[in-house]
Short mmCIF file of all heavy atoms in Angstrom, two decimals:
data_model
loop_
_atom_site.label_atom_id
_atom_site.label_comp_id
_atom_site.label_asym_id
_atom_site.label_seq_id
_atom_site.Cartn_x
_atom_site.Cartn_y
_atom_site.Cartn_z
N VAL E 40 8.63 10.44 -12.86
CA VAL E 40 9.01 11.36 -13.94
C VAL E 40 10.33 10.92 -14.54
O VAL E 40 11.11 10.23 -13.89
CB VAL E 40 9.11 12.82 -13.44
CG1 VAL E 40 7.78 13.28 -12.86
CG2 VAL E 40 10.21 12.97 -12.40
N GLU E 59 11.91 9.01 -9.89
CA GLU E 59 12.54 9.37 -11.16
C GLU E 59 13.00 8.12 -11.89
O GLU E 59 13.55 7.19 -11.29
CB GLU E 59 13.74 10.28 -10.93
CG GLU E 59 14.42 10.71 -12.23
CD GLU E 59 15.61 11.62 -12.03
OE1 GLU E 59 15.95 11.92 -10.86
OE2 GLU E 59 16.22 12.04 -13.05
N LYS E 64 11.67 3.39 -21.10
CA LYS E 64 11.41 1.98 -20.79
C LYS E 64 11.29 1.78 -19.29
O LYS E 64 10.36 1.11 -18.80
CB LYS E 64 12.53 1.10 -21.36
CG LYS E 64 12.35 -0.38 -21.06
CD LYS E 64 13.52 -1.19 -21.58
CE LYS E 64 13.36 -2.66 -21.18
NZ LYS E 64 14.54 -3.47 -21.63
N GLN E 69 7.27 1.16 -14.45
CA GLN E 69 6.76 1.61 -13.16
C GLN E 69 5.39 2.28 -13.27
O GLN E 69 4.90 2.84 -12.29
CB GLN E 69 7.75 2.61 -12.54
CG GLN E 69 9.14 2.05 -12.30
CD GLN E 69 10.10 3.11 -11.77
OE1 GLN E 69 9.75 3.92 -10.92
NE2 GLN E 69 11.32 3.10 -12.30
N LYS E 98 4.76 -4.15 -22.15
CA LYS E 98 3.64 -4.29 -21.24
C LYS E 98 2.50 -3.37 -21.66
O LYS E 98 2.72 -2.39 -22.38
CB LYS E 98 4.06 -3.96 -19.81
CG LYS E 98 4.66 -2.56 -19.64
CD LYS E 98 4.80 -2.18 -18.17
CE LYS E 98 3.45 -1.88 -17.56
NZ LYS E 98 3.56 -1.23 -16.23
N LEU E 120 0.74 0.87 -32.40
CA LEU E 120 1.01 0.47 -31.02
C LEU E 120 -0.07 -0.43 -30.44
O LEU E 120 0.20 -1.19 -29.50
CB LEU E 120 1.15 1.72 -30.15
CG LEU E 120 2.40 2.57 -30.42
CD1 LEU E 120 2.27 3.92 -29.73
CD2 LEU E 120 3.66 1.85 -29.96
N PRO E 122 -1.49 -3.30 -31.37
CA PRO E 122 -1.19 -4.73 -31.24
C PRO E 122 -0.18 -5.04 -30.14
O PRO E 122 -0.07 -6.20 -29.71
CB PRO E 122 -0.60 -5.09 -32.63
CG PRO E 122 -1.11 -4.03 -33.54
CD PRO E 122 -1.16 -2.79 -32.72
N CYS E 224 -9.72 39.98 -25.72
CA CYS E 224 -9.92 38.55 -25.45
C CYS E 224 -8.86 38.10 -24.46
O CYS E 224 -7.92 38.85 -24.14
CB CYS E 224 -9.83 37.72 -26.74
SG CYS E 224 -8.20 37.76 -27.53
N SER E 262 -2.78 18.24 -46.79
CA SER E 262 -3.24 16.84 -46.87
C SER E 262 -4.69 16.74 -47.29
O SER E 262 -5.11 15.71 -47.82
CB SER E 262 -3.03 16.15 -45.51
OG SER E 262 -3.96 16.61 -44.55
N ASN E 275 4.74 32.55 -42.31
CA ASN E 275 5.89 33.35 -42.76
C ASN E 275 6.34 34.35 -41.69
O ASN E 275 7.54 34.63 -41.57
CB ASN E 275 5.55 34.08 -44.06
CG ASN E 275 5.60 33.16 -45.27
OD1 ASN E 275 6.23 32.11 -45.23
ND2 ASN E 275 4.93 33.54 -46.34
N ASP E 288 12.87 33.39 -28.34
CA ASP E 288 12.06 34.46 -27.76
C ASP E 288 10.62 33.98 -27.62
O ASP E 288 10.18 33.06 -28.33
CB ASP E 288 12.09 35.71 -28.64
CG ASP E 288 13.43 36.43 -28.57
OD1 ASP E 288 14.23 36.12 -27.67
OD2 ASP E 288 13.67 37.31 -29.43
#
Side-chain angles (χ1 to χ4, degrees):
V40 301
E59 181 180 1
K64 179 183 176 183
Q69 300 176 42
K98 57 168 287 192
L120 291 167
C224 64
S262 72
N275 283 339
D288 287 347

